[in-house]
Amino acid sequence: CHTDPMTGPTPLVLTDVSDGVATLTLNNPDERNTLTAPMVAEIVAAMDAFEADESVGALVVTGTPPAFCAGANLGNLAEATGESLGNIYEGFLRIARSPLPTLAAVNGAAVGAGMNLALGCDVRIVADTAKLDTRFLQLGIHPGGGHTWMLRRIVGPQAAMAAVVFGQVLDGKEAERIGLAYRSVPSESLLEVAHEFAAKAASAPRELAIATKQTIQAMADVDDHPAAVARELEPQLWSTRQPWFAERLAALQARISKK
């Protein structure tokens, strides 16, 4: 928490659950939602709670305006160690490791480690006016936290070079054009669009969505179509034996019989 002299302690992370969608909002707008050790601790606690809540089927990550997350707090970076950097990295790595379907609703500036926070989510929906800025080289620091690996896998080597080495700052439309964002939307409708988008994932059986996310991630190492068929066979058979499959199949057949 940080303290407002008028209202007392304010959480650094706001949480909400609605329609099976958990929303995690970074909430230190005066410091542009930069990652600090106290904020990271609140992110980790929020993620632990969401994942333990069986009603949560998907996650939206966003920031209190004007920024999404303007990176790591740079106060003592010159004295950083691997351990201290790792502690800050945990703010986005904890979300990147989540088994839940995750969506970044990028409402404003996403800089450095803040861009890592967006890259670590499964899908990015970005406000037209947002700015995605890797900025590492402009600050004289090598990228960290898996930035180049995540970005290259999402957009390919050329766009990764353009953003990281050539310092191209991307607004929502550019992010969508290069495939960094799934969609760019007007800022005033961002959270509504993100919530509706995430609710589709949350409407699936929770265990099934989690298993399917694991399969999509595992496909990065599968070499050919027959291997992919084999990889999907066990979880598909598992799903046909779950109670939700019988229920949903019966509901579908009932709808068809009425037509």
Side-chain angles (χ1 to χ4, degrees):
C1 295
H2 56 115
T3 301
D4 184 313
M6 300 295 291
T7 60
T10 304
L12 293 169
V13 169
L14 303 177
T15 62
D16 175 73
V17 178
S18 175
D19 305 320
V21 176
T23 301
L24 186 156
T25 305
L26 305 187
N27 186 46
N28 192 6
D30 291 346
E31 296 183 26
R32 295 170 61 78
N33 302 325
T34 52
L35 295 175
T36 60
M39 178 182 278
V40 169
E42 291 191 31
I43 291 171
V44 170
M47 291 302 298
D48 289 347
F50 289 151
E51 289 172 9
D53 184 347
E54 292 292 328
S55 75
V56 171
L59 171 73
V60 172
V61 181
T62 194
T64 298
F68 174 72
C69 174
N73 189 308
L74 298 176
N76 56 356
L77 200 53
E79 300 165 15
T81 65
E83 183 179 4
S84 68
L85 285 175
N87 291 339
I88 293 296
Y89 290 166
E90 190 63 13
F92 56 83
L93 293 177
R94 178 64 185 82
I95 292 169
R97 288 198 308 270
S98 180
L100 294 169
T102 57
L103 186 152
V106 183
N107 57 296
V111 182
M115 195 161 162
N116 283 351
L117 179 62
L119 294 173
C121 291
D122 301 319
V123 173
R124 283 153 297 283
I125 295 179
V126 178
D128 295 343
T129 53
K131 296 286 186 240
L132 293 100
D133 181 1
T134 81
R135 204 179 291 182
F136 289 102
L137 270 63
Q138 288 67 44
L139 293 172
I141 185 173
H142 190 282
H147 183 81
T148 57
W149 180 81
M150 290 189 291
L151 188 58
R152 191 182 194 278
R153 281 165 66 99
I154 293 165
V155 302
Q158 178 174 246
M161 284 289 294
V164 180
V165 178
F166 290 86
Q168 295 299 296
V169 178
L170 309 169
D171 63 13
K173 293 292 187 189
E174 273 296 280
E176 181 183 305
R177 184 184 69 80
I178 68 169
L180 178 56
Y182 184 74
R183 190 180 299 168
S184 177
V185 300
S187 59
E188 61 271 16
S189 59
L190 174 67
L191 292 181
E192 180 183 358
V193 170
H195 185 87
E196 290 178 359
F197 199 97
K200 290 284 283 186
S203 71
R206 189 179 198 251
E207 290 176 75
L208 180 59
I210 287 171
T212 304
K213 172 173 171 169
Q214 289 174 338
T215 297
I216 291 171
Q217 291 173 326
M219 285 300 174
D221 301 320
V222 172
D223 295 325
D224 56 35
H225 197 167
V229 173
R231 174 64 180 77
E232 289 180 345
L233 189 58
E234 183 179 342
Q236 186 173 54
L237 288 172
W238 162 80
S239 69
T240 65
R241 288 154 174 76
Q242 303 307 310
W244 64 69
F245 176 66
E247 291 165 6
R248 292 182 180 223
L249 186 61
L252 176 61
Q253 289 169 336
R255 286 199 301 272
I256 291 171
S257 67
K258 291 178 181 176
K259 290 183 179 179

